[in-house]
Amino acid sequence: MSYDRSHFDRPHRGGGNRRRYKDDYDTHDRRRESFESPEQILKNTIIKLGEVDALQELPRLAKQIREQVPLSVPVISEGIRIAVTEQPYKIPYYAALLRLLYDPTEGENAESSTSSSLGKQVLEDFWKGFQGYLDKLAWRDVRLCIHFFAHLTVAQVISIESMSALLQSFAAVLDEFGVSYGRGRNAALCAIEGLIISGAVMAKSSSSNTTEIIKTVQNYNDSIYSPKLLVQPAMSLFTESRSLENADEVVDTGLFVLKALDSSEFVEVSESFPQPYLDFPDLDPTVSAPFELPAILVPPEVIELDGLATDAGEDAQVKKEDWPQYFFHLFDNETTPDPATPAGFLVRSQILDTIDIFEVNRKECARLLLEYPKWCVPGTFKPKPGAPEPEFESGKNWQLESTVIETVLGSLYLLPESTHKTVYHIALITELCKLSPSTVGPAVGKSIRRLYTALGDGFDVENARRFAEWFAVHMSNFGFQWVWKEWLPDLELSEQHPKRTFMRRALEFEIRLSYHDRVLKTLPEPMQNDTTVISDQTPGPAFEYEDPAHPHYDTAQSILSLLRGRSKANEVLSHIESLKTTLESSGTHLHVDNTIRSISIHCLLSIGSRSFSHLLNAIERYLPLLRGLAGTDTESKQDILSAVASFWRLNRQMVNIVFDKLMQYQIVDPTDVVGWTFENVGGDAHLSGMRPMSLSAFEWDLLKGALDKANGRVMVARRKVAALRKEHDDSVARVKASGGADVGSIEMDADVKPFKQGNDSASENPQLTVALKAFASLTREQKGALARTIEGFVSCLAPSPSAGRQNPHAETVITEQAWETRVTWTADEWNTWETWGWYRHFCRTYSPYLRNYQETLGTVGFAKIEGSASLAAKLMKKTWDMATGQES
């Protein structure tokens, strides 16, 4: 709403005056209101089709379009195109609308109707928009347009031959040499879904190539085997089966549905999705000839080459990997749609598209999802309580709320990362619960219980972490109300059993969102008294030297007084050096440097522990102090990280935050954090001693933070080099155009493409030279962090015989026999199993970087297990090969 500025200049005179000026505001708003043109009104009317009853609105809307003066075909086409790509659940009804527009008007003869049918004109203009989506490789929009064309084929508006050729064009993508999985999957889904919708009429045509398309998709799908093993939502270390009982892969399922329909001559299609256009009379081909879709060629993927390479000549350009999509099932096929049926497959596809499209407006998305049954065949979902029974029963009667929640969570639990940020899925479920708490609430509760049960059956470790996040945030949105007593029997399980681990993580997240005592009161007494479930201490700093009885209490207080007095960093450093000299002269300390660093870091963190802003101010003010303590040797940096972890051991979130800030200010490097993490691993914090080295979600968060920092720096450096390179080329081009520069220098500059760091031509541009050196340095740091991570996982899962901490469980937990007896596993065995999960997640998450540097990383990282015949070493190498594309 716009307001008159003069109103803000008036003095405040109380509520009466506000009421007096209300009419002024309304009049002003009406004066400023922008009126829609007739074309805009028509376009909006098209987009809003079906707000009351789509079937009744269709004839009226078709009549309104025909009577529009002047008639604007682009406006009509744009309205339909927007609706098709942003409201996929309405596509059958827009096909029916175009079918009505395809009818010749009264008085038209055959010749004129063939050349100037309104429906044909609209479809011709719609095709231009489709071609634009195709040129941009906007795959979702392309696929939804194909849905539209498929419905129009059934409606006899589009010729079977041209539709068949269109689908064949997408099938041809699968035969391309070296086609990426993302491109192949999108093209396969275009062909699969287009055939599911239009197959009934295409199968009757002698010119149809349905069988050929199915065979092409099948051959492609068979070639994609190993990647599917890495992204299954249930982790199985002992089998290579890609079929799961409670999950399905989208291309596998689509192909299964298509083959089943083809063998049954598509008899199930009529009960699977609405076909309102079938209620209209058949088109006379002699009067209204079917529209011929133009031939297309799917454009290739655009790969930007910046000409940058590493010191070893490796390509530094990172190409994001697409992975197979497995959707987890929470309910049986009587409760939610079976994706292996045409109806179930398309219902899930439309719900996923709606979730994707309306990411920008979760409230509208929630409303549309709860209204989804109105766009389905009657009887697809159970009617709402009190609603009239449908005249036609499809016999499905699925539960809408359970279907929506299962689909949202299925999208959340895609690996290695979900399509959207976790917070979007969480917020969407919250909005669904607010809109219909009595129906969505029970579905959410059932989903939580099903997921909790899955934890003990191999649920992937990354998905278990996301589950704990969602559970904690959802509980915080609804008063932390959960029936924890249901899980009391699980306290008898091993401390590191995934269910026990989930309890600890979920409660830790809940405390971050609230406070310790608030969360503690929501638990039953046995859980309150169990420190392996929830800590008995409130999260906060653990200043080791605040006890007057501590031998270094006076030393710490002297440093604290300087820091609190905001002394200069060099003064504090001088004081620390004097304290170091004193400790050395006493002769009672073996590790004086370590002790001084620990005391100094504890004191610095103590003055920054009140809030996040206090922490940043302390770090920024005493950066010279931190750099002085860190020095240049690895041991000093490890001491700093250990001191941080010790100070914040009661609040592990702060450990991650402080580590990130130390990397940001380059006090420590990502490789230092990776090395420290593997040197100090021991599962969850309450486990200690000489146990086998293992990782929990906490350690994974530290690793991920370090690796993301290293990768992010390389990306920023690459962009800077590219910008300077472009600026350099532009200046050379301007000089050439002006003809005022030395010819020899121009020719030299013109020969620098492709551009490699270290190229002598960069000497003419100092900024470019510096940027290239920085890029080379950061790339070495990136490779170092990745290599150190691989070495760390090797030391955890396949340690050499001479290693101090052996892990005898690394080979046993990956066997089928051990998995079947997992109920007897100890904490060490569950820790080892979780570590295997994090290794798999590392490989699939950072596969683009691992592929680029696979030769270097593979040689350095696996040097200790090269030639090893152990099961653990073989599985590590096999997982690596799958992630880097060396095993098909």
Side-chain angles (χ1 to χ4, degrees):
M1 182 180 291
S2 58
Y3 293 92
D4 190 342
R5 287 184 178 273
S6 63
H7 292 158
F8 291 102
D9 297 332
R10 296 172 179 170
H12 177 67
R13 297 189 180 92
N17 284 290
R18 284 196 296 271
R19 288 191 295 272
R20 184 183 309 163
Y21 295 125
K22 181 177 184 297
D23 290 341
D24 295 345
Y25 285 112
D26 292 343
T27 303
H28 177 75
D29 288 343
R30 286 196 295 270
R31 288 198 305 268
R32 294 289 299 274
E33 183 179 355
S34 59
F35 292 95
E36 293 182 331
S37 66
E39 289 80 8
Q40 290 172 322
I41 293 174
L42 179 61
K43 184 171 72 174
N44 291 337
T45 303
I46 293 172
I47 294 173
K48 294 177 181 178
L49 170 67
E51 288 193 350
V52 179
D53 188 317
L55 291 176
Q56 293 183 6
E57 294 174 25
L58 279 172
R60 294 200 299 266
L61 180 56
K63 182 179 179 182
Q64 181 181 350
I65 291 173
R66 290 186 183 277
E67 293 177 351
Q68 182 78 14
V69 179
L71 186 62
S72 176
V73 170
V75 169
I76 301 169
S77 172
E78 184 183 4
I80 296 177
R81 188 165 57 246
I82 291 172
V84 164
T85 55
E86 296 185 9
Q87 303 175 108
Y89 40 86
K90 293 185 183 180
I91 289 177
Y93 298 92
Y94 285 106
L97 174 63
L98 197 63
R99 162 64 184 82
L100 289 176
L101 297 178
Y102 215 77
D103 281 332
T105 57
E106 293 183 10
E108 283 186 341
N109 56 37
E111 182 180 353
S112 63
S113 65
T114 302
S115 59
S116 61
S117 163
L118 178 57
K120 182 178 180 180
Q121 295 177 50
V122 171
L123 197 48
E124 286 173 345
D125 196 80
F126 186 97
W127 179 264
K128 296 176 185 176
F130 169 73
Q131 189 66 55
Y133 296 141
L134 190 62
D135 292 341
K136 294 184 295 183
L137 289 178
W139 284 109
R140 187 193 68 210
D141 295 334
V142 168
R143 180 168 50 81
L144 294 178
C145 287
I146 289 177
H147 285 203
F148 184 57
F149 296 147
H151 281 286
L152 289 174
T153 304
V154 181
Q156 302 176 341
V157 173
I158 289 176
S159 71
I160 295 174
E161 293 76 13
S162 64
M163 184 64 193
S164 180
L166 177 67
L167 298 180
Q168 182 62 51
S169 298
F170 287 96
V173 172
L174 307 179
D175 291 328
E176 293 175 354
F177 177 76
V179 60
S180 68
Y181 181 77
R183 178 177 172 84
R185 183 191 66 212
N186 286 314
L189 288 177
C190 287
I192 288 172
E193 295 181 9
L195 271 179
I196 290 176
I197 296 171
S198 62
V201 296
M202 293 182 63
K204 299 175 183 177
S205 172
S206 59
S207 61
S208 171
N209 52 0
T210 302
T211 304
E212 183 181 343
I213 293 174
I214 294 175
K215 184 177 179 180
T216 302
V217 177
Q218 180 70 65
N219 291 338
Y220 168 76
N221 196 46
D222 290 341
S223 68
I224 307 297
Y225 182 78
S226 293
K228 295 183 179 181
L229 301 177
L230 278 184
V231 292
Q232 293 176 340
M235 190 172 75
S236 179
L237 298 173
F238 56 83
T239 180
E240 294 187 5
S241 172
R242 69 184 188 188
S243 61
L244 295 176
E245 182 179 352
N246 294 320
D248 73 284
E249 199 277 322
V250 63
V251 177
D252 282 345
T253 306
L255 191 57
F256 176 85
V257 170
L258 190 55
K259 290 165 72 175
L261 283 174
D262 186 48
S263 63
S264 66
E265 298 183 351
F266 293 85
V267 293
E268 293 183 54
V269 166
S270 61
E271 299 178 0
S272 301
F273 47 85
Q275 295 176 303
Y277 38 78
L278 294 182
D279 295 335
F280 305 145
D282 290 344
L283 282 173
D284 184 352
T286 62
V287 176
S288 301
F291 183 82
E292 296 291 335
L293 296 174
I296 66 160
L297 180 65
V298 180
E301 291 178 300
V302 177
I303 301 176
E304 296 181 3
L305 299 175
D306 54 18
L308 290 173
T310 65
D311 293 337
E314 298 157 316
D315 184 12
Q317 182 81 9
V318 175
K319 306 173 187 66
K320 189 179 186 312
E321 292 292 325
D322 284 295
W323 290 85
Q325 293 183 334
Y326 273 93
F327 288 92
F328 195 68
H329 303 169
L330 296 174
F331 303 101
D332 57 49
N333 294 335
E334 300 297 321
T335 304
T336 57
D338 178 7
T341 62
F345 185 81
L346 291 178
V347 162
R348 184 174 68 182
S349 177
Q350 288 185 351
I351 293 178
L352 287 171
D353 286 334
T354 304
I355 293 170
D356 189 30
I357 292 166
F358 287 91
E359 181 196 13
V360 295
N361 190 341
R362 66 181 187 277
K363 294 179 182 291
E364 182 69 5
C365 183
R367 182 186 69 82
L368 292 171
L369 289 175
L370 292 181
E371 293 179 357
Y372 178 67
K374 69 182 286 188
W375 305 106
C376 300
V377 174
T380 300
F381 293 99
K382 288 183 177 179
K384 294 181 179 179
E389 292 292 330
E391 297 179 3
F392 168 75
E393 283 288 349
S394 67
K396 299 179 179 65
N397 282 322
W398 293 316
Q399 294 178 7
L400 172 66
E401 293 78 11
S402 297
T403 300
V404 170
I405 295 299
E406 182 182 67
T407 307
V408 174
L409 291 176
S411 176
L412 171 61
Y413 295 136
L414 290 175
L415 294 171
E417 60 183 4
S418 56
T419 310
H420 302 289
K421 292 185 180 297
T422 301
V423 67
Y424 170 58
H425 296 92
I426 295 174
L428 178 57
I429 292 176
T430 299
E431 294 299 332
L432 289 165
C433 289
K434 290 179 179 178
L435 280 178
S436 183
S438 61
T439 58
V440 179
V444 171
K446 292 176 184 176
S447 299
I448 291 174
R449 292 179 177 90
R450 300 290 173 87
L451 288 168
Y452 180 77
T453 301
L455 290 171
D457 296 327
F459 199 47
D460 188 87
V461 292
E462 167 63 12
N463 279 342
R465 186 192 64 79
R466 294 181 202 171
F467 175 31
E469 284 187 356
W470 168 55
F471 178 85
V473 176
H474 191 78
M475 292 300 108
S476 72
N477 287 332
F478 296 96
F480 297 100
Q481 298 178 25
W482 182 251
V483 190
W484 285 95
K485 64 181 181 180
E486 292 181 1
W487 297 342
L488 284 177
D490 293 330
L491 295 182
E492 302 298 323
L493 298 171
S494 166
E495 292 178 4
Q496 291 303 104
H497 189 281
K499 291 183 178 180
R500 297 287 304 277
T501 302
F502 167 80
M503 293 183 198
R504 281 194 299 276
R505 292 173 186 165
L507 290 171
E508 181 181 344
F509 292 153
E510 284 190 8
I511 292 171
R512 294 181 189 178
L513 297 166
S514 182
Y515 54 94
H516 182 269
D517 292 344
R518 169 75 174 88
V519 174
L520 186 67
K521 291 177 182 178
T522 65
L523 301 176
E525 188 173 349
M527 288 186 175
Q528 293 182 13
N529 300 328
D530 191 337
T531 56
T532 64
V533 175
I534 185 170
S535 173
D536 55 355
Q537 296 178 285
T538 301
F543 185 36
E544 188 177 335
Y545 307 100
E546 66 178 347
D547 185 358
H550 196 284
H552 299 302
Y553 173 78
D554 292 335
T555 302
Q557 289 300 312
S558 65
I559 297 176
L560 267 178
S561 62
L562 290 175
L563 296 177
R564 287 170 177 162
R566 300 190 176 186
S567 300
K568 293 182 178 179
N570 58 350
E571 295 176 2
V572 180
L573 274 171
S574 299
H575 180 67
I576 288 174
E577 286 298 321
S578 64
L579 292 174
K580 178 180 174 182
T581 303
T582 304
L583 289 176
E584 287 175 340
S585 61
S586 66
T588 58
H589 293 82
L590 297 178
H591 305 288
V592 175
D593 289 340
N594 299 27
T595 303
I596 286 294
R597 278 191 287 267
S598 175
I599 296 173
S600 302
I601 295 299
H602 270 253
C603 292
L604 182 61
L605 293 177
S606 178
I607 65 169
S609 62
R610 292 181 60 187
S611 68
F612 188 64
S613 58
H614 281 79
L615 172 66
L616 288 181
N617 290 334
I619 291 176
E620 290 174 355
R621 184 183 304 126
Y622 290 107
L623 277 176
L625 170 62
L626 286 169
R627 292 193 177 105
L629 293 172
T632 57
D633 61 301
T634 303
E635 182 182 356
S636 300
K637 296 177 180 180
Q638 296 291 307
D639 287 344
I640 290 176
L641 296 173
S642 295
V644 171
S646 172
F647 184 85
W648 286 112
R649 62 181 177 271
L650 299 179
N651 189 348
R652 300 194 297 183
Q653 179 187 22
M654 287 302 300
V655 176
N656 209 333
I657 291 173
V658 177
F659 278 17
D660 179 74
K661 293 304 169 187
L662 292 177
M663 287 187 289
Q664 178 181 332
Y665 291 108
Q666 298 183 342
I667 306 301
V668 298
D669 297 326
T671 308
D672 299 318
V673 175
V674 172
W676 181 91
T677 302
F678 281 107
E679 288 296 327
N680 293 271
V681 293
D684 278 359
H686 67 282
L687 296 175
S688 58
M690 295 300 291
R691 292 179 177 273
M693 294 176 66
S694 56
L695 266 71
S696 69
F698 167 63
E699 284 84 22
W700 168 252
D701 286 341
L702 297 180
L703 287 179
K704 188 175 186 301
L707 294 174
D708 288 348
K709 183 71 71 175
N711 296 333
R713 286 175 176 173
V714 172
M715 185 180 300
V716 171
R718 178 185 294 110
R719 289 173 181 167
K720 184 174 182 180
V721 170
L724 289 171
R725 171 66 177 154
K726 184 178 184 303
E727 182 181 338
H728 178 71
D729 288 348
D730 290 346
S731 63
V732 170
R734 284 194 298 270
V735 171
K736 282 186 176 182
S738 64
D742 178 65
V743 177
S745 63
I746 291 175
E747 290 178 352
M748 179 187 68
D749 286 338
D751 291 336
V752 302
K753 298 178 183 179
F755 199 73
K756 309 284 185 183
Q757 70 260 38
N759 196 311
D760 293 338
S761 62
S763 60
E764 297 296 325
N765 189 331
Q767 285 183 312
L768 195 53
T769 303
V770 172
L772 283 167
K773 289 180 179 179
F775 174 76
S777 174
L778 291 172
T779 303
R780 286 193 295 270
E781 178 185 280
Q782 177 192 37
K783 288 198 288 187
L786 291 168
R788 183 66 185 87
T789 303
I790 298 170
E791 291 174 346
F793 275 113
V794 169
S795 65
C796 289
L797 299 173
S800 62
S802 60
R805 296 172 71 178
Q806 293 294 314
N807 190 350
H809 308 297
E811 292 199 17
T812 58
V813 299
I814 61 178
T815 63
E816 184 175 4
Q817 182 180 0
W819 180 249
E820 295 300 329
T821 59
R822 61 188 179 279
V823 68
T824 62
W825 279 6
T826 62
D828 287 346
E829 288 169 301
W830 279 116
N831 274 336
T832 304
W833 182 86
E834 184 176 1
T835 305
W836 273 112
W838 291 123
Y839 172 65
R840 286 162 56 92
H841 189 54
F842 160 73
C843 288
R844 66 196 177 205
T845 300
Y846 296 102
S847 64
Y849 307 96
L850 304 182
R851 283 174 185 259
N852 278 4
Y853 312 136
Q854 58 181 310
E855 196 169 324
T856 303
L857 297 178
T859 302
V860 175
F862 296 112
K864 294 182 180 179
I865 60 173
E866 188 64 36
S868 174
S870 70
L871 289 176
K874 289 181 178 178
L875 183 58
M876 290 197 76
K877 290 295 295 294
K878 186 178 183 65
T879 304
W880 164 268
D881 289 343
M882 287 191 290
T884 55
Q886 299 179 70
E887 180 173 317
S888 59

